[in-house]
Amino acid sequence: MKELLETLCDKYLLNLGLFTDLYPLERDILYPVCANVFCAADAEFDLGKFKNSMNIIKDNPKMLSSFRSTVRPLIASWLSVSDDPKGEMERYMTCYEQLRKYFTNSEHLALLSILLARLLPEERYEEHIKRGRQIYDRMKKEHRILTTKEDVAFAVMLAFSDKSDDELIADMEASYKLLKHSADNNSIQTVSHVLAMAKGAPEDKCAKFSELYGAMLKKGKKYGKHYELAMLAALSITGYDNTEITGDISDVEAFLTQHKAVWDLSEFGSGEPVSHAFMLLTTAYASDENVIGAAERAALMAARQTALYSVMVYSMMTVAPVVPE
């Protein structure tokens, strides 16, 4: 296994263990996504900082329901790795209020506000979000039924692209038509959003994605065709070739299957280790500035965020939410 991936896996298991031992939650799916936040920040779970961050969200009268819901531990994890959690929360709220001017209130916006606040200066929030709304409206016009709240993150992240709105829509439509028989239409639409963030002809990007998807199936990998495909598409537009990607996935999965703590988190389903591997690889590749550009990095982050939120939506439908106060 590459040194970068081995280090990341070690940090992941450390934070996963610390989190599960020190701050028990009813919803298992929150453990891996929170642990991944600490890994991405090269930080270690600190119970005192985490509790303080949870209290910031709970006690602030400006905090809306979207910040107090199931995603609260995830948001607290981001606050915990900040040197100024109160100031960080204020930046999230400023961005969130701008998002609410253009999109319907939801947990999606709470998570998206965090991502944008970490990428943009405050004076650019509204301009960027406004373009994201225009892209979302164009997406909705093309696929009214398929385009849902989960696509808001991609619309806003697509606003980072140097392509015109017309070029983005044309790219998405071309990819959608090329891949629409590969999985359910909603999943393929999400894949087309990810691919549109990268440079290159849709035919070439779809070919690489299809090759990677086929290689995974030939190796007997068991994973779903929903949120996992978004992350797989994001991996396919990096500077890594498919042989290296499949090798990295196999190495990380093999490492994680040795540890009972990962198997015990059943919310990922039967394809759990490979789902964890996808999540960790998006983190690792996004940090490698020598391999991918800004557009591809934005795609990785958008795919990871939407995928992780989709997992949490699944858990919300299957487990009663119990988050310690």
Side-chain angles (χ1 to χ4, degrees):
M1 186 190 297
K2 295 176 183 175
E3 184 177 352
L4 171 66
L5 295 179
E6 187 170 358
T7 300
L8 185 64
C9 285
D10 286 338
K11 290 178 181 177
Y12 177 65
L13 290 173
L14 171 64
N15 281 300
L16 190 63
L18 287 171
F19 202 103
T20 53
D21 289 344
L22 299 176
Y23 201 88
L25 296 174
E26 288 286 329
R27 182 162 287 122
D28 287 350
I29 193 58
L30 291 171
Y31 292 126
V33 295
C34 291
N36 190 54
V37 168
F38 290 96
C39 291
D42 194 21
E44 186 176 305
F45 177 78
D46 183 298
L47 181 60
K49 290 182 179 179
F50 184 81
K51 285 185 174 180
N52 178 60
S53 297
M54 289 287 279
N55 287 331
I56 289 173
I57 300 171
K58 176 185 174 184
D59 297 337
N60 194 320
K62 294 183 180 179
M63 298 299 105
L64 303 176
S65 59
S66 293
F67 285 88
R68 294 196 186 110
S69 65
T70 305
V71 299
R72 178 155 56 102
L74 179 55
I75 295 170
S77 296
W78 270 303
L79 293 176
S80 296
V81 299
S82 171
D83 293 331
D84 179 20
K86 289 185 178 180
E88 190 85 352
M89 191 72 240
E90 289 176 2
R91 287 189 288 275
Y92 295 166
M93 284 303 301
T94 299
C95 188
Y96 181 72
E97 290 301 326
Q98 292 292 340
L99 282 164
R100 287 187 66 219
K101 291 170 60 176
Y102 294 91
F103 296 100
T104 304
N105 182 26
S106 73
E107 284 85 351
H108 291 277
L109 295 195
L111 294 179
L112 184 55
S113 68
I114 295 171
L115 187 57
L116 284 182
R118 298 167 74 89
L119 293 173
L120 288 171
E122 186 174 329
E123 62 270 17
R124 290 189 57 199
Y125 290 166
E126 184 161 17
E127 174 190 359
H128 187 92
I129 293 167
K130 185 177 181 179
R131 187 190 179 199
R133 179 69 217 199
Q134 292 170 349
I135 294 171
Y136 181 79
D137 289 341
R138 293 285 298 274
M139 290 161 56
K140 193 77 173 174
K141 183 178 180 180
E142 296 292 335
H143 298 282
R144 180 164 297 277
I145 296 177
L146 293 179
T147 305
T148 64
K149 290 181 180 180
E150 291 184 7
D151 297 303
V152 169
F154 285 102
V156 175
M157 294 306 287
L158 280 162
F160 280 102
S161 176
D162 292 332
K163 301 176 186 177
S164 68
D165 292 359
D166 288 341
E167 289 172 329
L168 287 171
I169 295 300
D171 197 315
M172 284 185 272
E173 281 302 294
S175 295
Y176 178 79
K177 290 176 181 177
L178 288 167
L179 297 171
K180 65 180 181 180
H181 299 299
S182 303
D184 68 86
N185 290 341
N186 190 60
S187 298
I188 292 304
Q189 186 191 25
T190 301
V191 167
S192 74
H193 298 164
V194 176
L195 297 181
M197 294 182 189
K199 298 177 181 178
E203 294 78 9
D204 295 336
K205 291 183 289 186
C206 288
K208 185 179 181 183
F209 168 76
S210 296
E211 180 186 295
L212 180 58
Y213 181 64
M216 293 290 294
L217 294 179
K218 286 181 181 179
K219 285 182 173 289
K221 301 300 180 186
K222 295 181 179 180
Y223 63 97
K225 296 183 178 181
H226 302 292
Y227 61 84
E228 297 93 342
L229 288 187
M231 285 194 277
L232 193 64
L235 295 174
S236 78
I237 64 173
T238 64
Y240 298 89
D241 62 41
N242 284 344
T243 300
E244 191 169 9
I245 294 171
T246 54
D248 286 345
I249 291 173
S250 295
D251 286 346
V252 174
E253 183 186 9
F255 182 91
L256 294 177
T257 53
Q258 301 173 32
H259 299 273
K260 187 174 182 294
V262 176
W263 285 102
D264 285 346
L265 300 176
S266 58
E267 297 288 353
F268 272 107
S270 61
E272 180 181 329
V274 77
S275 298
H276 284 245
F278 284 174
M279 180 177 66
L280 289 173
L281 281 182
T282 58
T283 298
Y285 289 176
S287 67
D288 193 346
E289 296 181 1
N290 295 320
V291 178
I292 63 173
E296 289 78 11
R297 189 172 297 109
L300 281 169
M301 290 187 289
R304 181 175 62 194
Q305 174 185 298
T306 302
L308 296 181
Y309 185 78
S310 296
V311 174
M312 286 189 285
V313 169
Y314 167 76
S315 76
M316 288 162 63
M317 294 187 297
T318 56
V319 183
V322 180
V323 179
E325 293 296 338

